[in-house]
Amino acid sequence: MRHVIIGNGPAGVVAAETLRRLDAHAEITLIGDEAEPPYSRMAIPYLLMGEIDEAGTYLRKDADHFARLRIRLLHGRVAAVDTGKGCVSLTDGEVLAYDRLLIATGAHPVRPPVPGIELPKVLSCWTLADARAIAASIGTGARVLQMGAGFIGCIIMESLAARGPQLTVVEMGDRMVPRMMDEVAGAMIQRWCETKGVRIRTGRRVVGIAPAGKALRVELDDGETLEVDALISATGVKPNVAFLEGSGIEVAAGILVDGSMQTSVAGIYAAGDVAEAIEFGTGRRVVNAIQPDAVEQARIAALNMAGRPAALPGTFIFNVLDTLGLISASFGQWQGVPGGEAAQLLDEAEYRYLRLAFDGDRLVGANSIGHTEHIGVLRGLIQGRVRLGEWKTRLLANPLRLSEAYLARGIAAVR
Ligand SMILES: Cc1cc2nc3c(=O)[nH]c(=O)nc-3n(C[C@H](O)[C@H](O)[C@H](O)COP(=O)(O)OP(=O)(O)OC[C@H]3O[C@@H](n4cnc5c(N)ncnc54)[C@H](O)[C@@H]3O)c2cc1C
């Protein structure tokens, strides 16, 4: 059996290792286009904060790891997939035939169409190469503007802030992390960041960037102009699917997959930031670009590629974020559902917030700040689709009784 995996990030690596565990004799080729050993983007913030060196970002620390597992690591870029002939072609002309193919090509950062966005001092924070550029240009006292305060943006902000710059963050949404947090939580995170010395402008857009000597002059849509030494663009990512044009593999935002992670073409699978999978709870398709999901999707894909049927119960939207030391979390349908009830507990002074969203007597989503002790229980109740019965009324009266509710109803449901 010839397994070819395109992309050597966390999804590609876990799939290759899973395949080897299941089949000692298969040919496994793992193709990556970055000039580094397989590494984790998640570790980049720790690199920028000086907590680890570059080798600390590598997914496997032993240099012989892949050779020992007889996984062929191929440096190259796949230009096209021929699903009829069952082969992939690389930009250097090499052609590889496959019996099973996994596409785990991840995503790339997108930048808004702002004049000057291509200037050299406008940086992304996505690859190790980006991290090197940031380390070279941002130090104590540097004037930095970051565009975007989403989930990844907030993680990047934390690692930038640790480098001691004068940092301004501009977010076009009406609050921070708008796709993960409600208005109350987004405003609380903003207030926290401001107390830590980061200037935050929400509801604002960058409309122009121009060179100003060695610096950049940045103009916002309310007319404010700022002179900065660097601009970090963190305005979202898009799946790497361009090379699939004409392949017959169905793509919407990402590659459409079923519960087994198979694409519209039999024998071809997709996993990680490039895949658009079925969401737990809503049944909608989502690209859930976080590492735990990438790895779990890859494991399921590999099982199926090796002939062991397996299915994902659905991608569960669950994010925990550390923003300059403030821990927030969002779960499932945190916005609530039509006709559903909600319970809320707010302590502005102590930066603690809990909001529970119910559908009938089931918890379907939540936002929390502080309350880290409840994260496991919240996840268990939502992902377990636990029927709360009379415990719903008790939680509406006092959301802090979550653990009791889980003991009374969640454990019983598991049994
Ligand atoms: C700064 C930062 C912090 C993050 N922090 C977190 C966090 O705290 N928690 C979390 O869950 N997630 C975090 N993420 C997101 C997480 O890194 C991604 O979800 C994860 O990397 C997805 O893994 P993947 O294997 O799908 O894709 P990737 O890691 O992107 O790997 C895909 C690889 O395939 C390569 N490739 C693409 N196209 C081709 C081609 N045509 N031919 C060959 N190779 C190709 C790419 O260059 C890349 O090397 C963070 C990301 C960043 C940038």
Side-chain angles (χ1 to χ4, degrees), residues 5-14 30-46 48 59 74-80 89-91 103-109 124-127 130 151-153 155-156 159 237 240-244 271-275 288-295 297-298 318-322:
I5 300 170
I6 317 173
N8 63 358
V13 165
V14 165
L30 183 57
I31 311 169
D33 64 352
E34 291 187 64
E36 338 278 353
Y39 70 94
S40 167
R41 306 195 189 291
M42 255 182 87
I44 288 175
Y46 304 98
L48 288 174
L59 284 164
L74 184 62
H75 179 238
R77 183 167 184 76
V78 172
S89 38
L90 277 68
T91 49
I103 304 166
T105 47
H108 62 277
S124 296
C125 182
W126 192 249
T127 62
D130 293 336
F151 176 63
I152 299 289
I155 296 171
I156 294 170
S159 58
V237 297
N240 289 323
V241 292
F243 68 103
L244 295 175
D273 283 8
V274 77
N288 193 28
I290 58 168
Q291 185 160 318
D293 248 44
V295 165
Q297 291 180 356
F318 164 55
N319 289 299
V320 180
L321 180 62
D322 177 347

Side-chain angles (χ1 to χ4, degrees), residues 118-392:
E118 71 296 335
L119 286 167
K121 289 188 178 208
V122 179
L123 308 170
S124 296
C125 182
W126 192 249
T127 62
L128 269 182
D130 293 336
R132 288 177 203 127
I134 290 173
S137 56
I138 298 178
T140 308
R143 298 161 301 171
V144 179
L145 184 138
Q146 178 180 314
M147 261 193 309
F151 176 63
I152 299 289
C154 283
I155 296 171
I156 294 170
M157 178 183 71
E158 167 138 329
S159 58
L160 291 179
R163 303 184 68 80
Q166 299 169 44
L167 184 57
T168 300
V169 175
V170 177
E171 162 59 49
M172 72 175 187
D174 64 351
R175 59 188 186 276
M176 292 184 73
V177 254
R179 286 187 297 140
M180 175 175 148
M181 288 290 163
D182 64 22
E183 289 80 358
V184 177
M188 190 179 271
I189 296 172
Q190 174 169 351
R191 193 161 56 81
W192 173 271
C193 293
E194 286 166 346
T195 65
K196 302 282 172 194
V198 180
R199 185 165 173 256
I200 311 275
R201 304 291 319 276
T202 50
R204 293 272 75 91
R205 286 168 193 264
V206 170
V207 293
I209 309 164
K214 286 186 173 171
L216 293 173
R217 184 171 306 109
V218 182
E219 189 186 344
L220 306 189
D221 60 353
D222 61 351
E224 180 183 350
T225 58
L226 292 93
E227 205 163 280
V228 296
D229 301 305
L231 188 151
I232 306 292
S233 179
T235 49
V237 297
K238 271 199 178 148
N240 289 323
V241 292
F243 68 103
L244 295 175
E245 216 174 302
S247 68
I249 298 170
E250 269 184 47
V251 173
I255 301 172
L256 298 176
V257 288
D258 62 17
S260 72
M261 306 312 294
Q262 187 163 241
T263 69
S264 59
V265 177
I268 302 184
Y269 295 78
D273 283 8
V274 77
E276 191 170 336
I278 295 160
E279 187 190 350
F280 169 91
T282 65
R284 283 193 307 247
R285 302 265 191 172
V286 284
V287 177
N288 193 28
I290 58 168
Q291 185 160 318
D293 248 44
V295 165
E296 183 54 10
Q297 291 180 356
R299 197 182 64 80
I300 298 288
L303 282 164
N304 287 291
M305 289 165 79
R308 313 259 180 113
L312 207 65
T315 288
F316 184 57
I317 306 280
F318 164 55
N319 289 299
V320 180
L321 180 62
D322 177 347
T323 314
L324 304 174
L326 186 67
I327 310 293
S328 57
S330 89
F331 304 79
Q333 299 172 75
W334 54 269
Q335 308 93 324
V337 295
E341 288 179 278
Q344 181 173 314
L345 200 70
L346 175 63
D347 183 345
E348 290 273 10
E350 291 297 319
Y351 290 96
R352 281 167 76 80
Y353 177 57
L354 190 57
R355 187 169 197 280
L356 309 178
F358 298 91
D359 185 3
D361 72 344
R362 289 192 170 99
L363 192 61
V364 291
N367 268 169
S368 79
I369 295 182
H371 300 288
T372 45
E373 70 280 15
H374 294 306
I375 286 177
V377 163
L378 279 168
R379 185 176 184 163
L381 287 172
I382 298 168
Q383 225 176 350
R385 299 180 204 264
V386 174
R387 298 210 66 143
L388 290 161
E390 70 278 11
W391 274 95
K392 178 191 165 186

